[in-house]
Amino acid sequence: MDKKMIGSMIAYERSKQGISSQRLSEGVCSVSALQRLERGVRLPDFFVLERLIERLGKSVNKIEFLYDEGAYDIYYLREIIEKSVEQREYEEAEGALAYYESRPEAGEPLHRQYLCKMRAVMAAEREENHTEAIRLLKEALEQTVPGFSWSCLEDYCMGEGEILLLLLWLQENQESGEEPIPVEPDKILQYIEKSCQDEEAKANIYSKAAWVLGTMAMGQEPLRLTLRGEEILADNALLIHLPQFLDRIVELETKCDAKESEAWKRQRDALRKLYDEYGEQWDTGRITLWKNYRQMEVYLVSELFGQERRLIKQSQEKLADVLEMDQKTISRIEGGKYKPKAGTFRKMKEYLQIDRDICTTRIVVEDFSLLELERKIAKLNTNRHEAEAEALFQQLKGKLSLKWKENEQYIKYMETLFDKELGRISQEEAIRRCEEALKVTRKNGMEQLDGIVFSRMETFIINYIARCYGQINQKEKGTELVEKVVKGYESSKVDLKYHYTSLALLYQHIAVNCEESNEFERAIFWCDKAILLDLRCHRGLNIGLLLEEKIYSMVKMNGDRHFGKQEYYQAYLLLKLMKKDKQMRYLQREYKEWYGEELFINNEFKTAIEN
């Protein structure tokens, strides 16, 4: 997606929502800078682009970003600061903040806002100085929302970062014992409902608001707000904040309905047992409001250029000669020590035949709603509703321009998927057509897979090819393909959480293939990797299924049908927690066939989970 497409997409969405240029850009960039972006003249830096997308109510997690080392270094620096604060290592956090403040970007509004926010967190948590924390939070908010007033909330255009500052302000005001801020809980939640167009973005911020407002409410309101927060998290398969919500629900339901409290306790304990088994911390106490939820696909310019040059077996010296550049410049770019200028970036992309631009989605559109339609199609496919998904795909296909290779590849792949899943073509034909789809962006197709960080779409195609191999009794070949792709991701300098969607798919594929090939130890190994990735990335979509797959492999390996009963109960409860009704019914049926009895949540299991 080039800068013209990004700009027109933002312009379209801003116009559709009736947001003026002044309102969207206020405190983030100048109106003229926004206008240049919308005309496709110039892209702002990543942080400005991210905030503009947030203010339009969209999730940046739907977009793949091609970062230079400088931008990624700042994200990594922020993670160091936040991790140090979470672990109460305040001296380390202070050192990282001081280094951040010494960087040239530190004076810009969004960076200044972040620094003020983290200093406010430090004042509250280390010094318990809530008055100073409030002062710093107001200063942070002033960077991008000057003159803010609670009575005019609906007049402001705010993204996730700014709403978090408001929630922190409410929390610190309550802690300080000062006069309560006159806010109506439902008014704040309605603002979030209206401003967050993307369900995942809404789930993150809405749950935090429900948590804070629940602590301030009286009577039955805390339970109502807490249940609503848990519901929106589970609906979006997010584990972030879920431990705290479950603890609070159990506590609140105990006072209202003992039976409901017991049901929630079983689900909570099943999840907590999983956290304990994998050495992940079960968060207790209040929710950490100040952390943003970021899991967009991230690729480094330096890695991309280096890997593409090596794929065509071109030396840095030869590339420099062809592009009439200094070899040292090529070396510095690939080493992450130099940010390529726009002209250099374009020349290298054209010569190396790289299709990815600075910001990419699986399809290239001007209308954000088409990205949501694409996501809905993917969700229907995941739930095996191929006929319904294909009908929506036909609508989407008619609106996609074949000018863009991303769209051409997406269409070729999806047509193949539907034809195969609906029985219109063979596995062999599906493999051939998927290989053609891959060649849209990878001319060498399947010839070179080692050491490459593929795009999300390319990964999906290779994974589907591997699935088809498995269906024609060539599972080993399919597993080998997927493992090669995994190696590329795991050798990247980018944190694996920024490739969650691709890796989760690949890990699960290998685990299932190994189990079906009776390689039980390998199946368990890959199930463990997949579950740990889910927990670390706060995603709950597959944890119940993965645990079920692991248990099945362990039972088959041990040859003992009495083994695994309690673990199956645990998997069932995790599926229930994530509202996976279809998978719950499947597990009940499989359990009865395997053990010759019904799967019930009984007192014996309750005791086992508690122990």
Side-chain angles (χ1 to χ4, degrees):
M1 183 183 296
D2 65 13
K3 57 181 177 289
K4 288 185 179 179
M5 185 60 70
I6 297 168
S8 62
M9 188 166 66
I10 286 176
Y12 172 86
E13 193 65 26
R14 180 181 62 76
S15 176
K16 187 177 77 171
Q17 295 184 36
I19 302 173
S20 68
S21 298
Q22 177 67 39
R23 192 172 179 223
L24 181 62
S25 64
E26 185 173 23
V28 176
C29 63
S30 66
V31 173
S32 59
L34 176 60
Q35 291 171 342
R36 286 195 296 271
L37 166 62
E38 293 186 346
R39 294 199 306 271
V41 176
R42 184 179 179 183
L43 281 175
D45 73 22
F46 291 100
F47 298 93
V48 171
L49 183 60
E50 180 181 86
R51 183 59 61 87
L52 293 174
I53 292 171
E54 282 182 11
R55 283 186 168 187
L56 290 169
K58 302 299 178 180
S59 172
V60 295
N61 293 333
K62 304 298 185 298
I63 297 174
E64 300 175 24
F65 284 98
L66 185 57
Y67 281 176
D68 60 75
E69 297 275 339
Y72 183 68
D73 283 349
I74 292 178
Y75 275 104
Y76 185 67
L77 179 58
R78 289 184 175 188
E79 288 182 4
I80 291 173
I81 293 168
E82 292 168 10
K83 186 176 181 180
S84 297
V85 173
E86 279 188 301
Q87 296 177 348
R88 300 183 182 276
E89 296 171 350
Y90 297 118
E91 293 302 320
E92 288 80 357
E94 188 61 54
L97 281 168
Y99 172 68
Y100 196 155
E101 288 174 326
S102 72
R103 294 180 64 104
E105 307 95 334
E108 297 172 8
L110 292 174
H111 295 289
R112 180 63 189 161
Q113 184 172 82
Y114 179 83
L115 290 165
C116 286
K117 178 184 77 172
M118 294 313 299
R119 293 236 173 254
V121 171
M122 295 270 281
E125 296 191 5
R126 179 171 62 172
E127 304 162 16
E128 296 187 5
N129 189 340
H130 303 292
T131 301
E132 175 63 7
I134 291 170
R135 184 192 70 78
L136 286 164
L137 289 169
K138 289 179 179 179
E139 183 180 343
L141 191 62
E142 188 71 20
Q143 301 299 313
T144 59
V145 192
F148 174 80
S149 169
W150 286 98
S151 62
C152 304
L153 179 65
E154 63 278 1
D155 294 338
Y156 301 104
C157 181
M158 294 185 288
E160 177 183 340
E162 290 137 335
I163 297 174
L164 289 181
L165 290 173
L166 294 182
L167 297 177
L168 278 166
W169 185 357
L170 283 173
Q171 180 175 269
E172 291 307 311
N173 186 80
Q174 186 181 26
E175 294 281 347
S176 71
E178 295 182 7
E179 185 176 344
I181 297 172
V183 295
E184 300 175 31
D186 284 335
K187 188 175 181 180
I188 293 176
L189 295 175
Q190 286 166 9
Y191 177 87
I192 294 170
E193 288 268 14
K194 182 179 178 181
S195 60
C196 291
Q197 307 292 311
D198 181 271
E199 286 301 316
E200 186 177 282
K202 184 189 298 182
N204 177 39
I205 198 68
Y206 191 103
S207 61
K208 289 179 177 176
W211 177 269
V212 173
L213 296 168
T215 63
M216 300 168 59
M218 303 292 289
Q220 293 294 313
E221 281 297 279
L223 180 58
R224 179 181 73 87
L225 293 168
T226 305
L227 286 170
R228 176 57 183 143
E230 186 279 335
E231 181 183 30
I232 197 168
L233 288 172
D235 283 346
N236 285 274
L238 292 178
L239 297 179
I240 189 169
H241 321 318
L242 198 57
Q244 293 100 319
F245 270 95
L246 292 173
D247 281 345
R248 180 180 279 184
I249 289 171
V250 170
E251 179 185 347
L252 293 172
E253 285 283 18
T254 301
K255 303 172 184 176
C256 303
D257 189 326
K259 187 176 179 180
E260 278 296 306
S261 177
E262 185 62 29
W264 280 107
K265 187 175 185 297
R266 288 171 181 158
Q267 294 177 65
R268 182 207 55 190
D269 291 349
L271 182 61
R272 184 166 188 167
K273 187 171 186 286
L274 196 70
Y275 273 73
D276 291 342
E277 288 170 350
Y278 286 86
E280 289 298 297
Q281 182 180 355
W282 179 267
D283 293 324
T284 58
R286 69 184 187 183
I287 282 174
T288 303
L289 297 177
W290 42 267
K291 289 191 70 173
N292 285 42
Y293 177 66
R294 290 286 177 272
Q295 285 184 349
M296 61 280 203
E297 300 284 310
V298 169
Y299 305 85
L300 292 181
V301 171
S302 57
E303 286 187 340
L304 184 61
F305 283 158
Q307 78 178 23
E308 297 300 328
R309 177 185 59 77
R310 289 189 289 273
L311 282 173
I312 63 172
K313 299 179 180 179
Q314 186 82 277
S315 68
Q316 289 184 350
E317 183 180 11
K318 177 64 175 176
L319 180 60
D321 287 342
V322 172
L323 297 180
E324 299 181 341
M325 294 169 58
D326 186 351
Q327 182 186 344
K328 290 182 179 178
T329 301
I330 302 291
S331 179
R332 287 197 294 269
I333 290 172
E334 290 188 7
K337 299 176 182 178
Y338 179 77
K339 177 182 178 181
K341 295 179 181 178
T344 303
F345 182 80
R346 186 181 64 255
K347 284 170 64 177
M348 291 183 72
K349 275 186 57 192
E350 289 174 354
Y351 180 75
L352 295 171
Q353 297 182 338
I354 296 172
D355 298 302
R356 292 186 228 179
D357 214 303
I358 199 167
C359 175
T360 309
T361 50
R362 288 207 289 175
I363 54 175
V364 181
V365 296
E366 296 183 13
D367 181 353
F368 266 123
S369 68
L370 295 183
L371 296 180
E372 292 302 312
L373 180 57
E374 184 270 331
R375 187 186 180 204
K376 186 174 182 180
I377 292 167
K379 192 171 183 179
L380 286 168
N381 273 329
T382 299
N383 294 325
R384 305 307 303 270
H385 300 307
E386 289 90 355
E388 187 179 352
E390 185 179 31
L392 291 180
F393 167 71
Q394 293 301 330
Q395 296 178 28
L396 177 61
K397 177 184 172 183
K399 299 176 182 178
L400 295 180
S401 168
L402 293 181
K403 169 186 174 184
W404 306 98
K405 287 188 176 182
E406 292 97 327
N407 293 349
E408 180 186 353
Q409 185 173 72
Y410 173 78
I411 289 171
K412 282 178 177 289
Y413 167 61
M414 294 302 292
E415 287 178 337
T416 302
L417 185 148
F418 289 124
D419 284 345
K420 161 64 181 59
E421 297 302 316
L422 294 172
R424 297 192 286 256
I425 60 173
S426 66
Q427 287 92 342
E428 290 84 357
E429 175 64 9
I431 291 170
R432 186 194 68 77
R433 285 170 54 176
C434 278
E435 288 178 349
E436 289 300 311
L438 186 63
K439 287 180 180 179
V440 173
T441 55
R442 295 278 172 186
K443 287 193 174 181
N444 292 326
M446 303 292 290
E447 294 176 16
Q448 294 173 294
L449 299 179
D450 290 330
I452 302 173
V453 183
F454 288 97
S455 72
R456 193 188 305 188
M457 190 73 252
E458 291 167 344
T459 300
F460 286 3
I461 293 171
I462 296 170
N463 184 72
Y464 195 71
I465 290 171
R467 276 182 57 191
C468 291
Y469 274 124
Q471 292 168 2
I472 55 176
N473 298 317
Q474 296 186 44
K475 281 189 172 62
E476 186 176 341
K477 185 172 183 178
T479 301
E480 183 182 346
L481 291 178
V482 174
E483 285 182 327
K484 284 182 178 180
V485 179
V486 167
K487 286 179 182 177
Y489 282 115
E490 292 187 341
S491 64
S492 170
K493 291 187 286 185
V494 173
D495 192 307
L496 293 184
K497 73 179 182 181
Y498 290 117
H499 291 301
Y500 169 78
T501 303
S502 299
L503 277 173
L505 177 71
L506 298 174
Y507 285 171
Q508 187 172 7
H509 180 115
I510 299 174
V512 172
N513 262 19
C514 290
E515 178 269 308
E516 291 177 350
S517 302
N518 294 328
E519 297 180 77
F520 302 125
E521 287 189 7
R522 287 187 67 205
I524 293 166
F525 171 81
W526 285 102
C527 281
D528 282 337
K529 288 194 73 164
I531 292 171
L532 188 57
L533 179 71
D534 275 7
L535 294 178
R536 288 180 175 172
C537 294
H538 311 294
R539 302 305 299 253
L541 182 64
N542 297 315
I543 53 172
L545 293 171
L546 288 165
L547 182 58
E548 180 185 350
E549 183 70 29
K550 177 183 176 179
I551 300 160
Y552 186 62
S553 296
M554 293 173 71
V555 170
K556 290 179 72 176
M557 184 171 67
N558 291 339
D560 181 0
R561 289 206 171 199
H562 295 288
F563 175 82
K565 282 188 175 183
Q566 303 299 339
E567 289 78 6
Y568 273 126
Y569 279 125
Q570 182 185 5
Y572 177 85
L573 285 170
L574 293 173
L575 292 172
K576 183 177 182 181
L577 181 63
M578 290 293 115
K579 299 179 172 55
K580 300 296 177 184
D581 295 339
K582 183 177 179 180
Q583 289 86 347
M584 286 166 60
R585 291 192 295 271
Y586 177 80
L587 178 54
Q588 286 174 313
R589 185 170 65 250
E590 290 295 305
Y591 184 92
K592 185 174 182 179
E593 290 178 5
W594 190 257
Y595 292 108
E597 61 187 63
E598 298 290 344
L599 191 158
F600 292 114
I601 308 302
N602 55 23
N603 289 329
E604 180 186 352
F605 171 62
K606 174 190 170 187
T607 303
I609 286 291
E610 288 174 347
N611 292 335

